[in-house]
Amino acid sequence: MNMYDIITKKKHGEALSAQEIEFFVKGYTDGSIPDYQASALLMAICLKLMKREETADLAREMMLSGDVLDLKDINGIKVDKHSTGGVGDKTSLVLAPMLAALGLTVAKMSGRALGHTGGTIDKLESIAGFRTELSEDEFLNTVNTHKMVIAAQTRDIAPADKKLYALRDVTATVDNISLIASSIMSKKLACGADAIVLDVKTGSGSLVGSLENSIALAEEMVHIGKTMGRKMCAVISDMNQPLGYAVGNALEVKEAIAALKGKGPKDLMDLCLALGSSLMLICGVSQSKEDAEAELQRTIETGAAYTKFKEFIAAQGGDVCVIEDIALLPQARYQLDVKAKKSGYVSSIACAEIGMASLLSGAGREVKDAPVDFGAGIMIHKKIGDQVDIEEAVATVYASDEAKLLPAAQRILSAYTIETAMPQVPPLIYNILR
């Protein structure tokens, strides 16, 4: 077996065998297959596509390239949630404590912000003292004791994916459904959960854009998970505008805390209920969507989810005083209102542009490992369908560097389209796959 024949086979549109995919992943990971041959195969995959069996085999081999967490000694049903990335998406901070308060075990590894999308780890690290870099033993002990852990991905989880993604990023081979699906699922499967709910975004701020592509990505990932013996479901949710109103690390933590106290934005809470109820149904802990949503809602009404969140923060070294007094969270020194240039209704928001504006404020990063300003970001005041008057603020930018305010504000203003007619507001949930 050799790479020349494997590249030739895929170039002609033939399906690769499980053995050929194993040979490729192992060889590229250990360095015996050079970048130029791996690049050729990735481009052939983009042009000729992969069958579902190939995609599942690729995900499996990338998962097996590193550590696979063994959660068999952890009590209860182990669950995980993954979002394909969005703007203002703080659902993990709200949903995880809701599920943990109901007795489900949430064992989650998350990422950092890159490009226009935010990262759960950055949001949590805006809380003083909070530790996201945990050893495997710390990860397991925390989730077993507190029913919940959210940690940064370790270098030993799916190293093949890390190496391949870096190559895809510079060879224009990122936007292929099979490569995206196998990349995401290799990491999720390596984390060892019994059941996984996927929040697959669609729209202007999403990874794949169109609803058709979002559904195709969800179907691929659900198939991969089921092939590996996991309980799977996917929610296709809207990302044509930010989720909630806060975009930026500490700003989103504040909004998540408000949500756990029963004062969260409706779209954020509705999405948490949709994701949580779907997960509870595939786990068999609820018999109907209505029952599951009622149980989740009760964790908010009784304060159980908020209490669990504080327990989780303390367990990973965070200062609980920050949760009880959100004024202690990082705050930007400067702010600037972004004012509408005409009156009318917000008809659309270029959501990815809002994410890029947040990055320009200092809240995000253009390259991996760049520092972020935890207090920076954007508060959205007007969303699709809202009426706005001329010179009324549609958003406010926050930054610790005054020079960053205007570039971010200009990006936000260009993202808004205001028209005289009231538009149709996009649905929050488009589809649920189980």
Side-chain angles (χ1 to χ4, degrees), residues 61-100:
E61 291 306 320
M62 288 197 294
M63 176 195 76
L64 293 174
S65 69
D67 290 346
V68 178
L69 292 182
D70 185 355
L71 304 182
K72 69 176 184 298
D73 294 329
I74 301 298
N75 300 322
I77 301 171
K78 280 76 71 177
V79 301
D80 198 357
K81 169 256 173 190
H82 177 79
S83 168
T84 57
V87 180
D89 185 4
K90 71 283 295 178
T91 50
S92 294
L93 303 183
V94 181
L95 178 60
M98 292 169 74
L99 293 169

Side-chain angles (χ1 to χ4, degrees), residues 210-284:
S210 72
L211 179 59
E212 180 183 7
N213 284 342
S214 298
I215 291 173
L217 176 59
E219 289 175 342
E220 285 289 314
M221 292 193 291
V222 167
H223 177 263
I224 291 169
K226 288 183 175 180
T227 298
M228 296 292 289
R230 305 301 203 276
K231 294 180 173 67
M232 296 293 304
C233 60
V235 174
I236 314 297
S237 71
D238 185 65
M239 194 39 69
N240 284 298
Q241 58 183 336
L243 184 66
Y245 296 94
V247 182
N249 302 299
L251 293 172
E252 292 189 48
V253 171
K254 291 177 185 178
E255 190 164 77
I257 292 169
L260 290 166
K261 291 181 174 181
K263 300 176 182 178
K266 186 177 186 303
D267 58 349
L268 171 61
M269 296 313 300
D270 286 350
L271 180 55
C272 287
L273 292 175
L275 293 166
S277 61
S278 297
L279 192 52
M280 291 168 71
L281 286 171
I282 63 171
C283 290

Side-chain angles (χ1 to χ4, degrees), residues 12-315:
H12 292 301
E14 298 177 46
L16 302 179
S17 69
Q19 293 76 20
E20 287 167 327
I21 291 171
E22 178 185 8
F23 175 85
F24 164 62
V25 172
K26 286 184 174 178
Y28 188 61
T29 305
D30 67 23
S32 59
I33 292 172
D35 281 351
Y36 60 83
Q37 286 189 314
S39 299
L41 181 59
L42 290 171
M43 187 58 73
I45 289 169
C46 286
L47 296 174
K48 296 298 183 178
L49 309 181
M50 297 183 91
K51 296 183 183 299
R52 281 194 172 171
E53 292 75 14
E54 292 177 275
T55 305
D57 288 337
L58 180 58
R60 179 187 297 106
E61 291 306 320
M62 288 197 294
M63 176 195 76
L64 293 174
S65 69
D67 290 346
V68 178
L69 292 182
D70 185 355
L71 304 182
K72 69 176 184 298
D73 294 329
I74 301 298
N75 300 322
I77 301 171
K78 280 76 71 177
V79 301
D80 198 357
K81 169 256 173 190
H82 177 79
S83 168
T84 57
V87 180
D89 185 4
K90 71 283 295 178
T91 50
S92 294
L93 303 183
V94 181
L95 178 60
M98 292 169 74
L99 293 169
L102 291 174
L104 293 172
T105 302
V106 184
K108 180 168 175 53
M109 286 190 178
S110 294
R112 301 182 186 279
L114 187 61
H116 78 272
T117 63
T120 299
I121 294 302
D122 295 312
K123 294 164 195 176
L124 287 168
E125 287 182 343
S126 71
I127 300 169
F130 190 87
R131 294 177 58 241
T132 60
E133 304 288 343
L134 304 179
S135 68
E136 185 173 330
D137 285 343
E138 287 177 315
F139 183 93
L140 297 174
N141 289 336
T142 301
V143 73
N144 210 15
T145 303
H146 302 284
K147 289 289 183 182
M148 178 180 169
V149 64
I150 301 178
Q153 280 180 206
T154 70
R155 294 179 181 177
D156 297 325
I157 293 289
D161 174 63
K162 291 182 179 65
K163 193 172 180 182
L164 280 170
Y165 189 87
L167 185 63
R168 288 167 57 205
D169 197 35
V170 296
T171 56
T173 54
V174 170
D175 59 343
N176 171 273
I177 295 296
S178 291
L179 295 177
I180 295 169
S182 57
S183 172
I184 291 170
M185 290 305 296
S186 67
K187 297 186 286 281
K188 286 290 103 181
L189 293 167
C191 293
D194 303 316
I196 303 169
V197 59
L198 302 166
D199 181 8
V200 181
K201 304 297 187 183
T202 191
S204 63
S206 70
L207 182 67
V208 293
S210 72
L211 179 59
E212 180 183 7
N213 284 342
S214 298
I215 291 173
L217 176 59
E219 289 175 342
E220 285 289 314
M221 292 193 291
V222 167
H223 177 263
I224 291 169
K226 288 183 175 180
T227 298
M228 296 292 289
R230 305 301 203 276
K231 294 180 173 67
M232 296 293 304
C233 60
V235 174
I236 314 297
S237 71
D238 185 65
M239 194 39 69
N240 284 298
Q241 58 183 336
L243 184 66
Y245 296 94
V247 182
N249 302 299
L251 293 172
E252 292 189 48
V253 171
K254 291 177 185 178
E255 190 164 77
I257 292 169
L260 290 166
K261 291 181 174 181
K263 300 176 182 178
K266 186 177 186 303
D267 58 349
L268 171 61
M269 296 313 300
D270 286 350
L271 180 55
C272 287
L273 292 175
L275 293 166
S277 61
S278 297
L279 192 52
M280 291 168 71
L281 286 171
I282 63 171
C283 290
V285 297
S286 287
Q287 298 308 307
S288 71
K289 175 179 178 287
E290 293 72 22
D291 287 347
E293 289 188 350
E295 287 185 70
L296 289 162
Q297 189 63 50
R298 273 194 292 274
T299 70
I300 299 296
E301 294 166 355
T302 63
Y306 176 63
T307 299
K308 179 58 69 174
F309 184 72
K310 291 197 295 182
E311 178 188 336
F312 150 70
I313 295 300

Side-chain angles (χ1 to χ4, degrees), residues 352-372:
E353 288 297 291
I354 301 296
M356 292 306 295
S358 179
L359 184 154
L360 291 176
S361 76
R365 54 171 64 86
E366 294 185 63
V367 295
K368 188 179 177 182
D369 298 328
V372 297

